[in-house]
Amino acid sequence: MGIEDFGGGQSQSDVLVVTTNDVPGYRVDKVIGEVFGLTVRSRHVGSQIGAGLKSLIGGELKGLTKTLVETRNQAMERLVEQARARGANAVLMFRFDVTEAADVGTEVCAYGTAVVISQG
């Protein structure tokens, strides 16, 4: 597995996503409001057994790491789709929230504030 399997973030998009409150060189023309992208992934029994065995000897659980990266990327894609659909060209104060979902999976929520920005 290469580094691309364990990284995430935004690929080329018409909606800029940043973790900051503003974007240097740009002004916020309109605040649209909160947007989020949500996904819930169930646990695979085989991966859970493998993770349990790996935890006995230590080390990174690469299969679970890759799954979490894919899950976060999917949540982020949904966030961007929602922002775009509401007329935004940027999302400020972007964050992730990860929660156990009723002991059957993991819920990942990407959220932020959808805005319209322009150079200024």
Side-chain angles (χ1 to χ4, degrees):
M1 286 188 227
I3 191 66
E4 64 278 355
D5 293 325
F6 299 104
Q10 187 175 23
S11 58
Q12 296 297 330
S13 177
D14 57 326
V15 177
L16 177 66
V17 179
V18 297
T19 60
T20 56
N21 295 336
D22 53 20
V23 179
Y26 289 80
R27 69 174 179 270
V28 175
D29 296 322
K30 180 179 180 183
V31 175
I32 295 171
E34 180 188 9
V35 288
F36 66 91
L38 181 68
T39 186
V40 178
R41 295 280 176 109
S42 64
R43 294 191 182 110
H44 181 275
V45 175
S47 68
Q48 286 300 99
I49 292 170
L53 294 173
K54 183 74 171 188
S55 69
L56 295 174
I57 59 172
E60 181 181 9
L61 306 173
K62 290 187 178 184
L64 291 177
T65 299
K66 185 176 178 183
T67 299
L68 186 54
V69 167
E70 292 168 353
T71 303
R72 284 181 174 223
N73 286 342
Q74 183 179 47
M76 187 172 183
E77 288 169 10
R78 290 178 178 174
L79 166 104
V80 168
E81 288 172 13
Q82 186 183 53
R84 184 182 299 116
R86 294 182 62 193
N89 65 354
V91 175
L92 305 179
M93 298 174 283
F94 168 74
R95 301 287 187 270
F96 280 114
D97 185 40
V98 180
T99 309
E100 292 298 314
D103 292 331
V104 295
T106 302
E107 170 191 326
V108 175
C109 182
Y111 63 96
T113 302
V115 298
V116 175
I117 60 173
S118 62
Q119 286 191 321

